[in-house]
Structure formats: C-alpha cells, structure tokens
Amino acid sequence: QLQLVESGGGLVQPGGSLKLSCAASGFTLHGYDIGWFRQAPGKEREGVSCISSSGDSRIYADSVKGRFTISGDFARNTVYLQMNNLEPEDTAVYYCAASLGQWDTSRWCLPRDFGSWGQGTQVTVSS
C-alpha cells in the first residue's frame, strides 16, 4: 500500500528553522515527482516547493525562495523540506505528495498534479 508520512512539524519562533521529512512506504520514491504543499486555515492548499523525479527541476514559491530547500535521499526513500528564517505567514499544515508523470515540470506544480498525499504535519510560527 502506497503511503507518505510527514514529520518534523512543530512550534517555532519567527526566524527559527524546521526540517520536514516525507517518508514513503509501500513504493520507492525513485521515479516520482514530489511536492510540498501547505494549507492555512481558511485558505486554499498552495504549492511550496516541488522536485522532479530526476532532481533536475526544483521550484519554489516566491514567498519561500531563499528560505526553503527541497531535497531527496532515495537511499532512505525520503524527501525533505528545510525551512529557515520562518515567518508567522508560514504557519500551516504542510503536506507532501507524489506524482507519477502527472506533473508537467515545465510549469508550476499544482495539487491536482499529485495523486498520493500524506496526512500532513502542523507548522506554527509564533512568538
């Protein structure tokens, strides 16, 4: 059974850092495009960062460029999202998702491009 499990969320002060993990089980991430999305209360789910299966394409939302980094460790079947200099506006539930060829990597990644989702992890940035 294909499963994605996020971890690493929590409460952090503005300017702090967190590293989210997305561990896959039941399948290998190799060959899948992976995306990180987030959803704040009352807002639509939005893309944060996506990485193509080859690793050649890594894209970031303007709001997180220079602060977040997406990476993959296929030996551990895990994708990470390193988040630095966090801001209160980053508060949301963060989800990872996998796409098997549904995402056109020449454009921005959208939730509809990804068919498999984790349960999410809460990130709260507050003093």
Side-chain angles (χ1 to χ4, degrees):
Q1 180 180 358
L2 189 154
Q3 190 174 14
L4 295 168
V5 178
E6 303 95 335
S7 61
L11 173 63
V12 64
Q13 291 185 342
S17 298
L18 285 173
K19 186 174 185 177
L20 305 184
S21 299
C22 172
S25 63
F27 72 109
T28 175
L29 284 176
H30 188 70
Y32 283 79
D33 306 317
I34 302 298
W36 282 99
F37 297 83
R38 67 187 181 186
Q39 188 165 18
K43 294 188 176 181
E44 292 187 355
R45 191 168 298 187
E46 63 176 1
V48 176
S49 179
C50 295
I51 182 170
S52 62
S53 59
S54 66
D56 292 341
S57 178
R58 306 184 189 207
I59 57 176
Y60 300 89
D62 288 343
S63 59
V64 307
K65 279 180 182 177
R67 301 188 297 121
F68 290 12
T69 303
I70 190 170
S71 63
D73 184 342
F74 291 113
R76 288 182 166 83
N77 218 24
T78 302
V79 174
Y80 303 99
L81 185 68
Q82 176 68 47
M83 307 187 296
N84 297 328
N85 195 18
L86 283 160
E87 304 170 350
E89 292 75 21
D90 296 318
T91 296
V93 178
Y94 283 70
Y95 301 88
C96 69
S99 171
L100 189 60
Q102 298 146 302
W103 170 37
D104 178 353
T105 58
S106 67
R107 59 165 174 78
W108 180 243
C109 51
L110 300 169
R112 68 170 185 255
D113 298 323
F114 293 78
S116 300
W117 291 80
Q119 82 292 347
T121 185
Q122 176 70 47
V123 171
T124 302
V125 185
S126 175
S127 56

